[in-house]
């Protein structure tokens, strides 16, 4: 399983567009999971998931891997007409993720930054690819994504504001590489 994280601190640089399209293309060659790690839930809505009981926030705040797996939070991606995309699934999010991020920040137990990595390891045989659409923020969901990733893609636009946050994102990626040495990173324009 290859895990690709799309992140940048700047909004409007194409993170969700990149994530949703990359996930679709990868689903043409293997089983693909798109994780919406943004409380806005745009990737979730893009793939026709408007009402769900459990999402990424529940997986991240589950007490252990067994509880996270029990939630059955993964949903099939849907086309605009309601049909299911073959080989494409979504771990959805919405504004409930904000509460989960706060819970994780207050949690003093070790491993709170590796919960997504453990969850994906438990699901490794189910997926060939995982694409994570991160928020324009470095929150606990994004940190968990970096700890689970093989590759971080940082989309930027060629304007001053987009480049400003790049050094901070790169600093976070470098810090994550201390715990996750397999993580590679690239900037895409």
């Amino acid at each position: 399983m290859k895990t690709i994280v799309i992140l940048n601190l700047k909004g409007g640089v194409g993170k969700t567009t990149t994530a949703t399209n990359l996930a679709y293309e990868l689903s043409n060659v293997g089983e693909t999971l798109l994780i919406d790690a943004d409380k806005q839930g745009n990737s979730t809505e893009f793939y026709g998931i408007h009402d769900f009981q459990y999402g990424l926030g529940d997986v991240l705040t589950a007490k252990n891997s067994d509880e996270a797996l029990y939630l059955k939070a993964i949903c099939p991606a849907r086309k605009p007409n309601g049909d299911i995309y073959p080989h494409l699934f979504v771990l959805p999010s919405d504004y409930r993720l904000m509460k989960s991020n706060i819970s994780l920040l207050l949690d003093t137990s070790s491993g709170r930054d590796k919960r997504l990595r453990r969850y994906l390891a438990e699901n490794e045989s189910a997926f060939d690819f995982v694409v994570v659409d991160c928020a324009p923020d470095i929150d606990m969901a994004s940190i968990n994504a970096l700890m689970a990733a093989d590759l971080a893609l940082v989309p930027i636009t060629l304007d001053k504001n987009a480049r400003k946050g790049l050094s901070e994102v790169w600093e976070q990626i470098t810090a994550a590489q201390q715990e996750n040495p397999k993580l590679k990173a690239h900037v895409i324009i």
Side-chain angles (χ1 to χ4, degrees), residues 18-37:
T18 301
T20 55
N21 284 290
L22 180 60
Y24 171 77
E25 290 300 330
L26 290 171
S27 75
N28 289 313
V29 294
E31 298 297 311
T32 302
L33 174 63
L34 173 62
I35 298 176
D36 193 343

Side-chain angles (χ1 to χ4, degrees), residues 11-107:
V13 296
K15 291 181 300 295
T16 297
T17 300
T18 301
T20 55
N21 284 290
L22 180 60
Y24 171 77
E25 290 300 330
L26 290 171
S27 75
N28 289 313
V29 294
E31 298 297 311
T32 302
L33 174 63
L34 173 62
I35 298 176
D36 193 343
D38 186 344
K39 64 187 168 293
Q40 293 179 51
N42 292 329
S43 290
T44 299
E45 289 182 8
F46 181 85
Y47 279 116
I49 301 163
H50 304 290
D51 188 29
F52 57 93
Q53 186 172 3
Y54 300 111
L56 175 61
D58 301 295
V59 167
L60 292 176
T61 56
K63 292 184 183 13
N64 54 52
S65 295
D66 290 337
E67 182 180 310
L69 288 171
Y70 177 76
L71 294 174
K72 306 251 187 265
I74 296 171
C75 304
R78 297 195 173 275
K79 298 177 182 180
N81 67 4
D83 290 348
I84 292 174
Y85 281 102
H87 315 292
L88 182 55
F89 302 87
V90 178
L91 179 52
S93 286
D94 59 14
Y95 283 100
R96 292 176 282 179
L97 182 58
M98 190 167 37
K99 184 174 159 185
S100 300
N101 272 309
I102 292 168
S103 293
L104 282 171
L105 283 170
L106 297 174
D107 183 349

